Structure formats: C-alpha cells, structure tokens
Amino acid sequence: MKNHIVSAFRLTFVMLAVVGIYLVIVYGGSKVLPTEGNGEIINYKGQKFYANIGQEFKSEKYFHGRPSSVNYNAAGSGGSNKGPSNEEYLETVQKRIDTLRMQNPEMKDTKVPVELATASGSGLDPDISEEGALYQSKRIAKVRNVSEEQINTLIKNQTEKPFLGLLGPSKVNVLKLNIALDQLK
C-alpha cells in the first residue's frame, strides 16, 4: 500500500513538472509572436475586429462569409449536430442556396460553392474559397458600380495560397476582403 502511495505522488509531481514546463513554453512562445497570441487584430474606422473570427456582413455591397450556426457569437463557438440526412438541416441549406441565388441573380445557373450554404464546425470560420468570393463578384461590381475585373483582381490579391504551397486550400479572409473593397477607388 505504501509503495502505491509513494508511486502515485511521484507520478503526480512528474506530471505537474511536465505540464508546467509545457505551459511555460506555450505561453512564452505566444508572447514572441507579433500579436502576442491574441489573434490578428484589425483596427478599421475606429473599431477593433478580429480577422480570425467570422463576421456577419448583410449589406449587398459586401462579400458575405460562411453562415454561422451560432450567429457569429465568438463566446458560443460550435457547430450544428444535424447530419446531412436531417430534413431540417436540408431545408436550412436549401433556404441559404435560394437566398444566395436571389442575391446573385447573374449566377442562377452556376453551382453555389458549398461554404456559402453550410456553416463550419466552429460556426465562426472567417474564410471562404476563392470560388465563393468570385461567385459574389458580379453582385458587388453592380452594386458598387465598378468593373467586375477590378473586383476579380481584388479577390486574387486577397487570396491566401496554401501553406508551403501544399497544405490546405486557397482561401480569402472575408473581413480583409471587405476592408480592401471599401478602400478600392
């Protein structure tokens, strides 16, 4: 019995040391980063935005991001527990597709990019695909009275390529894209 208690205490102290060292390394590493582990903060027009958290844009003159299952509430991050065979989920996705087609009538025969109709696992994904942005470019050009080529060039300039050219898809941060869109002359 005494051997078990001594072994348990030793294991506890070893694990406390390992976890403590790990926490110091992670915390110290975060303070070395340019944003000190706070994510990418963008100050625009006197407001503070986090580029790594999805934002809601309702106006026709802005690009829209992924739908959110948590209404873009960063304190309540989470996805839906409804599967692809759930009737209620399928109705929700179909309503989103219908809304997108109504907002973008020029694209009626074009397939809607999946991320514009479905929420992400966190409900707070700040990025869409380049195709998702291009799907909306005709609407933006028409509403802002600028050429579609200008909008497409802006999208191309805002597209982040895969990490090391291999890992992950190309993506466009919707907040950064909309800020660049406001600065377009």
Side-chain angles (χ1 to χ4, degrees):
M1 177 80 168
K2 187 177 178 182
N3 287 342
H4 295 298
I5 292 174
V6 170
S7 294
F9 275 120
R10 283 184 187 156
L11 181 59
T12 300
F13 289 124
V14 167
M15 289 309 298
L16 282 172
V18 168
V19 170
I21 291 169
Y22 171 76
L23 290 174
V24 166
I25 291 170
V26 170
Y27 180 76
S30 73
K31 295 303 173 187
V32 173
L33 296 172
T35 60
E36 296 183 355
N38 292 322
E40 186 177 353
I41 300 169
I42 297 175
N43 290 305
Y44 182 67
K45 291 187 177 180
Q47 288 187 298
K48 182 163 87 171
F49 298 97
Y50 290 89
N52 54 335
I53 297 176
Q55 315 282 322
E56 184 173 26
F57 295 95
K58 292 183 179 181
S59 174
E60 285 185 341
K61 68 179 192 172
Y62 289 113
F63 288 93
H64 300 163
R66 285 191 83 158
S68 174
S69 57
V70 294
N71 296 323
Y72 301 95
N73 179 3
S77 172
S80 167
N81 64 349
K82 296 175 182 146
S85 62
N86 182 291
E87 289 297 321
E88 188 179 335
Y89 175 73
L90 293 174
E91 287 175 23
T92 301
V93 170
Q94 188 59 52
K95 285 179 188 174
R96 290 174 182 160
I97 291 171
D98 294 342
T99 301
L100 283 164
R101 289 204 168 127
M102 202 169 25
Q103 291 172 339
N104 302 282
E106 307 85 7
M107 304 299 286
K108 64 181 176 186
D109 296 328
T110 307
K111 181 180 169 191
V112 173
V114 70
E115 78 273 5
L116 294 180
T118 59
S120 66
S122 69
L124 298 169
D125 191 352
D127 304 317
I128 58 174
S129 68
E130 189 174 1
E131 292 78 25
L134 291 170
Y135 183 85
Q136 302 175 69
S137 67
K138 288 181 192 268
R139 169 179 49 90
I140 303 291
K142 183 178 177 183
V143 170
R144 290 190 175 248
N145 199 25
V146 297
S147 74
E148 190 177 344
E149 292 77 30
Q150 283 181 287
I151 301 296
N152 291 343
T153 300
L154 183 69
I155 292 169
K156 186 175 182 174
N157 292 339
Q158 291 293 318
T159 300
E160 299 172 26
K161 299 298 177 196
F163 182 68
L164 300 176
L166 301 169
L167 305 174
S170 294
K171 60 187 179 181
V172 181
N173 184 287
V174 179
L175 174 64
K176 292 178 183 178
L177 179 61
N178 283 331
I179 289 172
L181 186 61
D182 275 347
Q183 295 169 347
L184 187 65
K185 302 219 180 222

